[in-house]
Amino acid sequence: MRIKDILKSTRTISCEFFPPKTADGIPGVFRAVDRLKAFSPDFVSVTYGAGGSTRAFTEEITTGIKRDADLEVMAHLTCVGQTKEAVHEVLERLEQAGIENVIALRGDPPQGQIEFSPAEDGFPHATDLIGHIRE
């Protein structure tokens, strides 16, 4: 179900998960998801990590929630540090996993950088990423 449709019909309760810094923390996220299911959130989201630092964990957690937790889930996706092709591959994997909801963001510069600079052949703005997703 699309989150925009959920928002039209009711007030919502949602939870946002931050991927851990290492893979060792992923089981703890899934334990938290199991505990929070008792509150019947309308959807949950999984962030992309500052500067895209935990993007692989975002994808793993998002698809795991969709597959195992019977919750609607939204993946965060940013332009940070990825080519257009790499972003497209993430989108294809999310689609194959049945993820219908993505929040597209430009994202923060990687740690240690003050200004955002797109990857070579990357998306410079969230609007470019949104346009690609719509295509």
Side-chain angles (χ1 to χ4, degrees):
M1 174 177 263
R2 308 286 303 264
I3 290 172
K4 69 179 187 174
D5 297 327
I6 295 171
L7 295 172
K8 288 179 187 176
S9 63
T10 185
R11 287 188 170 183
T12 60
I13 296 174
S14 65
C15 302
E16 184 170 86
F17 293 96
F18 297 85
K21 294 189 186 300
T22 67
D24 293 340
I26 291 174
V29 174
F30 288 118
R31 285 191 299 274
V33 169
D34 285 339
R35 288 192 308 272
L36 287 167
K37 280 177 54 174
F39 298 99
S40 301
D42 296 290
F43 66 93
V44 299
S45 68
V46 183
T47 68
Y48 217 51
S53 60
T54 58
R55 68 175 138 242
F57 297 153
T58 297
E59 191 175 333
E60 181 178 347
I61 292 166
T62 302
T63 58
I65 291 171
K66 181 69 174 182
R67 180 186 63 239
D68 301 331
D70 194 33
L71 290 171
E72 198 55 57
V73 64
M74 175 174 58
H76 290 217
L77 182 63
T78 74
C79 304
V80 177
Q82 296 184 97
T83 64
K84 293 174 183 175
E85 182 179 345
V87 169
H88 188 77
E89 289 170 0
V90 170
L91 288 165
E92 285 181 332
R93 289 190 299 271
L94 291 172
E95 183 178 40
Q96 289 170 0
I99 308 298
E100 295 181 278
N101 300 288
V102 173
I103 184 167
L105 308 158
R106 186 203 69 187
D108 297 327
Q111 190 171 10
Q113 294 182 15
I114 296 172
E115 294 191 27
F116 177 82
S117 179
E120 188 173 326
D121 193 36
F123 295 104
H125 305 284
T127 53
D128 300 315
L129 175 56
I130 292 165
H132 180 77
I133 292 169
R134 287 186 172 149
E135 284 178 14

